[in-house]
Amino acid sequence: MRIISSVQEMHDVSNELRSHGKAIGFVPTMGYLHEGHAALIEQAATQNDSVIVSVFVNPLQFAAHEDFGIYPKNFDGDCALIEQSGGNILFYPSVHEMYSPGFSTSISIGTITEKFEGTFRPKHFEGVATIVAKLLLCTKPHHTYFGQKDYQQTMVIKRLIQDLHIDCTMHIVDTIRESDGLAKSSRNVYLSSDERKQSCILFKALSEAFQAYHKGIRQRERLNTIMQEVLNESSDFKVQYAATADAYSLDEPDEFEKIGKVVFLIAGYLGNARLIDNMIAE
Ligand code: AMP
C-alpha cells in the first residue's frame, strides 16, 4: 500500500490515475478503523480501480471540551485493515499539512446543520464540510463512501457535493453493528464493561420505534416517547436527543404522512463515550 502524507503528492497521484482512465474511490476516516470502515472500503474496492482511504483527525470539527486530544489511534492496525479490505492508497497528512499557517476558509452548509447534532456540536458540521471538501479536492475521486451511522452527516455531504458542483458520486453504506446491535464506532473504546452492556439500549430504542411505525403509529411525540421510555431503562445514558424526523428534510411535523420515509435519531453520553445512532423506516 502506498502511504502519502503530502497534499502535492496526493494531487500528483490522483492526476496520474485519472490520466490513465482509472476510477478512484475515496473513503474519508479519522482512523482507529473497525468493521464499519472496512465495509466502506470493501464497497469502494468493488466499484473502483484504486481506493484511497484518508486517516485524519480533523481539529476543526471538535469543540474545545471534546476528545480531539485523546482520539484513539492505531496506525499499524489501520494499515492492515485498509489493505485487507481492498484499499491501495492511504492519505495520511498532518494537521499542519492540511491547515497551513494563515488558513481561514470554512464552508457553512445551512439549515440542515442547525438541528440534532448541530444543537449539541454547533461548529461541528462546518468543520466536517470544510475538511471533506479539502479531501475531495486533494484525492479527486469519482466515487466517495460514507456510513449511514452518521445520518445527518450524509445529508450535509450530499448538499456539499451538489451545491459546490463537485464531480463525484456519493454512496451511503449501511451501519455495521455488534451482535447486540451497538453500532460499531471508534469511540466505543471509551465504554467501561458495564457501560458496554447498557449501550445496546440505543439499538433497542430505535428498533421499538421502527416496529411501532410499521404498526401504523405516525404521531411524532408517540414515536419519540417510545424511544425515550426504552432509553430510561439505562440509568447512566444521558440523552441529548431521541427524535423522529422526515428522512429527506429532517422536518419534524406533529404527524407523519401514511406513506413516506422517516429517520429515528438518538445521541447522548454513556460515561465518557458520546454515542450516536439512527434507523430509517418507510
Ligand atoms: P469516522 O472515522 O468515525 O469519522 O468514520 C468514517 C466513516 O465511516 C464515516 O462515513 C462514518 O459514517 C463511517 N462509519 C463509522 N462507523 C460505521 C459503522 N458502524 N457502519 C458503517 N459506517 C460507519
Side-chain angles (χ1 to χ4, degrees), residues 93-110:
S94 65
V95 170
H96 184 267
E97 182 70 7
M98 290 310 282
Y99 298 112
S100 50
F103 179 86
S104 65
T105 301
S106 103
I107 298 178
S108 155
I109 302 284

Side-chain angles (χ1 to χ4, degrees), residues 103-239:
F103 179 86
S104 65
T105 301
S106 103
I107 298 178
S108 155
I109 302 284
T111 48
I112 50 162
T113 64
E114 283 162 13
K115 54 208 311 194
F116 307 130
E117 287 300 280
T119 310
F120 294 94
R121 308 185 73 189
K123 288 278 172 194
H124 173 68
F125 284 127
E126 220 171 291
V128 169
T130 304
I131 192 62
V132 170
K134 284 162 70 69
L135 290 168
L136 292 172
L137 287 166
C138 292
T139 57
K140 311 177 217 305
H142 300 86
H143 300 271
T144 186
Y145 299 81
F146 287 82
Q148 195 205 300
K149 153 101 183 359
D150 298 285
Y151 186 79
Q152 196 175 1
Q153 173 172 279
T154 65
M155 297 184 71
V156 168
I157 303 302
K158 219 182 274 177
R159 265 276 50 98
L160 173 81
I161 288 175
Q162 259 182 37
D163 290 358
L164 297 188
H165 306 300
I166 298 175
D167 188 12
C168 173
T169 305
M170 178 188 177
H171 302 263
I172 299 173
V173 179
D174 288 347
T175 303
I176 305 295
R177 301 178 178 283
E178 304 286 355
S179 55
D180 66 354
L182 173 66
K184 289 192 185 259
S185 165
S186 309
R187 290 190 167 102
N188 292 350
V189 72
Y190 302 146
L191 295 167
S192 69
S193 62
D194 179 52
E195 289 159 358
R196 173 66 192 84
K197 282 182 201 135
Q198 296 181 49
S199 61
C200 60
I201 208 87
L202 280 82
F203 182 67
K204 192 173 170 211
L206 293 167
S207 303
E208 294 207 6
F210 178 91
Q211 282 159 23
Y213 184 86
H214 274 278
K215 283 185 191 141
I217 295 177
R218 291 292 183 276
Q219 296 95 332
R220 184 169 54 83
E221 277 309 327
R222 275 188 72 190
L223 293 161
N224 292 351
T225 303
I226 287 166
M227 288 193 276
Q228 190 60 58
E229 280 173 2
V230 178
L231 295 173
N232 290 343
E233 290 171 20
S234 159
S235 51
D236 297 326
F237 185 61
K238 305 280 178 285
V239 185

